[in-house]
Amino acid sequence: MSKAPQFGLNVPQSEAVMYLDGPCLVLAGAGSGKTRVITQKIAHLIEDRGYDPRTIAALTFTNKAALEMQERIAKLLKQPRQAKQLTVSTFHSLGVKILRQEANGVGLKDRFSIMDADDCGSLIQDMAISTDKQLIRRIQTDISLWKNGLVEPVIALQNAKDEDEAQSARIYASYVATLSAYQAVDFDDLIRLPVELFRNNEPIRDKWQRRLRYLLMDEYQDTNTCQYELVKLLVTGVGKKPMFTAVGDDDQAIYAWRGASVENLKTLQTDFPDLQVIKLEQNYRSTTRILQAANAVIGNNPKLFDKKLWSEHGLGEPIKVLGMANDDQEAEQVAIMISADHFDRKNKWSDYAILYRGNHQARVIEQCLRKERIPYSISGGQSFFDKAEIKDIISYLRLLANTDDDPAFIRAVTTPRRGVGQSTLEVLGTFSGQWQCSLFEAVFKGGIEGKLIDRQLLPLREFCNFINNLETRASRPGPSGSGDNAAQVLDDLLEAINYESYLYDMFDERAAQSKWQNVLEFTNWLKDRGRGGKDRDGDEKNVLELTQMVALMSMLEGQDEEPDAVRMSTLHASKGLEYPHVFLVGVEEGILPHKGDPDAPAETIGARVQEERRLMYVGITRAQRTLQITWCKKRKRGGEQVHCDPSRFIKEMELDVGTAAPMESEVISPKERLARMKELLATPKT
DNA sequence: CAATGCGACATTTTT
DNA sequence: TGTCGCATTG
């Protein structure tokens, strides 16, 4: 084992990989190879330091990142199969793993449900006795922020600074109680409950500390208080050296609004005084000019750690800043520029990316791209698992796994319609409330006969018997394992409820067909997991485990976009990605930086602008070779065109003389464009 | 009174 | 593009 740089790493990268004397923080600038450090370090732990792969955990924020990381590690190992023994997962998956084994320790039954944001939203709707979408969302985010900040309902109420917050806090209290009655947890609980458990139960905490000896965290700047606390609890023990590597970049912290706390970076230094801090400043992605602009912009933020990116890629082409007359022209010009450049440089379409602040900005651009016949794909589209037809099926699975899951019960019993209506459910709900039992249980409880007439009660009982039968079959081991059985049960379920004809009854031919297609895709996907085929743990999963896993999925993996298309993405969704040619559009005051709440407290405005600045920084650093920034003098808002100013961030870029002032756009006239196109078409491609 | 339809309008998003 | 609220209709 040598101390010299190896594996083709640079000096600080290699240092970060080799450092194992204690806790380690890697400050990895954009494009500095942070994922390489994590993957190489894991390989190093296994190959050179004799770590058992089962005792190493790498934590990410998305399933996609986890999957990617695991694949990359497998390629580095002499025995790639060892990668399967690692825990490479999201924080939330780790939480489920812990809760599954320790459910009793936090007052949960072995069978608990994971409720998605929609379910939680309707719970809150019931408790707030309001349908105001804004209000519900506000309460929901309040509660989520409290949970992520480890603030108990009582404390939240005490510290409430206005009536709105007090209302949220009161609902928070009954929300927690309701979830517990359902034997359900929400996403935040997946991390909060393990924290609670480890705080109160030393032996269990010890057990997990022995189980996970080395921890690595990706995107550490995005962790919230709760996640950090979980890490701390896993990593610190009496007479034990904390062993972990956190990788992050304070300049790319863009999720404060959902509870992430960059302060966790600073806290790390005070909590672990012997923390080794290693900076990665060499950038392997962009030209020097792009990095200069990025450094200049971010230089306007107060810095937690001093850091300056540099690269060996040469100066590169100047950054262009184009002021457009309005948003229509902006979209048109971007489309034309991409089209022309694509032919000029003979690039792939996928070499281009258009980045914007808000999803709605994509609309105009989309139309222009279509008009120009430029293939495009929009990232972050609607999540497959959020589609109504998928959630319908999942509600049955959830109910099979946990009959206390009232939201699942309501959805399943009413979809497809089987003669159970609103009034029946209301009576059942009141009854179950009086007896402190689940809706499912209430159906068979003595006394319910007096409340419901046969026409209401019989379909309920038929439904519950149906679920009970399925449940018995699902938990019985099948011919070749439980996974096989889960798949079989699912097929029978779909047939028994006649879901396909339900879809054709409810929707027109085209919609029903595509929905049914989705259902089939989903069941096939589940069957693969159930059989352990594609699954990383290789375990066969029963209905309960499958259901819990599905709850944590947002995108369908492998559902890749068009291979050769211009990528359109929000700035947030572009983090971690890179493109040869980037167009940053709508860079105006009010959009980037976005104007927040007009009545937000003054002291928070500075922090907001700083986060917007980091967003700009993320956008700039996505570009490898060229970067074009556009802004509009006028923009459609409401009925009429509204005046706009270029973003302050444009000035902050301190561009080379000549491009510093926003240039008038050199509008390519349609005539000229036509001529150019003809010319291009006349030149035979070689 | 409920269902449908149309116009106005947009932070950012994962689990 | 998708949702929300308001208005019109059966």
Side-chain angles (χ1 to χ4, degrees), chain A residues 444-486:
Chain A
F444 294 105
K445 206 164 185 76
I448 189 68
E449 296 92 341
K451 309 276 185 186
L452 291 168
I453 56 171
D454 279 0
R455 191 194 305 157
Q456 295 175 302
L457 187 57
L458 292 182
L460 279 175
R461 291 215 161 142
E462 200 192 334
F463 172 77
C464 292
N465 283 325
F466 166 68
I467 294 293
N468 272 331
N469 284 336
L470 274 182
E471 199 278 320
T472 316
R473 293 199 25 220
S475 46
R476 196 168 55 208
S480 61
S482 56
D484 228 33
N485 202 327

Side-chain angles (χ1 to χ4, degrees), chain A residues 110 273 284 305 620 684:
Chain A
D110 288 334
Y284 293 94
F305 300 92
I620 295 172

Side-chain angles (χ1 to χ4, degrees), chain A residues 529-546:
Chain A
R529 309 293 128 159
R531 294 203 182 94
K534 285 187 193 167
D535 193 62
R536 293 178 281 149
D537 330 340
D539 297 335
E540 292 192 338
K541 293 193 160 21
N542 60 33
V543 172
L544 173 69
E545 288 171 322
L546 279 174

Side-chain angles (χ1 to χ4, degrees), chain A residues 30 57 94 98 117 197 231 302 306 309 336 404 450 514 549 558 566 572 680:
Chain A
L94 176 65
I98 296 170
L197 177 71
V231 167
D306 204 14
L309 292 180
I336 290 171
D404 285 339
S514 110
M549 183 177 75
V566 172
H572 283 92
L680 280 166

Side-chain angles (χ1 to χ4, degrees), chain A residues 155-192:
Chain A
I155 310 293
L157 188 55
Q158 274 169 16
N159 296 344
K161 52 180 191 305
D162 53 31
E163 178 45 35
D164 280 355
E165 253 186 56
Q167 183 196 23
S168 292
R170 284 189 295 269
I171 290 171
Y172 179 19
S174 55
Y175 171 85
V176 170
T178 308
L179 278 189
S180 135
Y182 291 166
Q183 286 296 309
V185 298
D186 62 20
F187 287 134
D188 303 323
D189 288 335
L190 294 176
I191 297 154
R192 194 183 59 103

Side-chain angles (χ1 to χ4, degrees), chain A residues 474-601:
Chain A
S475 46
R476 196 168 55 208
S480 61
S482 56
D484 228 33
N485 202 327
Q488 188 58 50
V489 168
L490 196 64
D491 280 339
D492 292 355
L493 167 75
L494 284 172
E495 189 160 335
I497 64 175
N498 224 334
Y499 194 72
E500 188 177 7
S501 9
Y502 158 77
L503 287 175
Y504 279 91
D505 286 348
M506 293 294 287
F507 306 95
D508 64 65
E509 180 94 12
R510 225 172 61 88
Q513 207 164 29
S514 110
K515 280 165 194 287
W516 180 243
Q517 211 51 47
N518 285 336
V519 171
L520 291 180
E521 200 176 331
F522 173 68
T523 54
N524 283 330
W525 183 86
L526 266 189
K527 283 173 195 169
D528 278 350
R529 309 293 128 159
R531 294 203 182 94
K534 285 187 193 167
D535 193 62
R536 293 178 281 149
D537 330 340
D539 297 335
E540 292 192 338
K541 293 193 160 21
N542 60 33
V543 172
L544 173 69
E545 288 171 322
L546 279 174
T547 311
Q548 290 178 342
M549 183 177 75
V550 162
L552 295 183
M553 293 294 178
S554 63
M555 303 303 183
L556 196 54
E557 313 141 27
Q559 181 203 253
D560 282 319
E561 313 126 320
E562 285 207 34
D564 191 24
V566 172
R567 309 285 176 209
M568 295 175 61
S569 166
T570 61
L571 286 165
H572 283 92
S574 76
K575 193 165 78 156
L577 305 175
E578 58 185 13
Y579 309 92
H581 307 288
V582 167
F583 290 79
L584 214 50
V585 303
V587 186
E588 293 140 42
E589 282 296 305
I591 293 183
L592 184 68
H594 193 273
K595 57 163 168 30
D597 275 346
D599 42 277

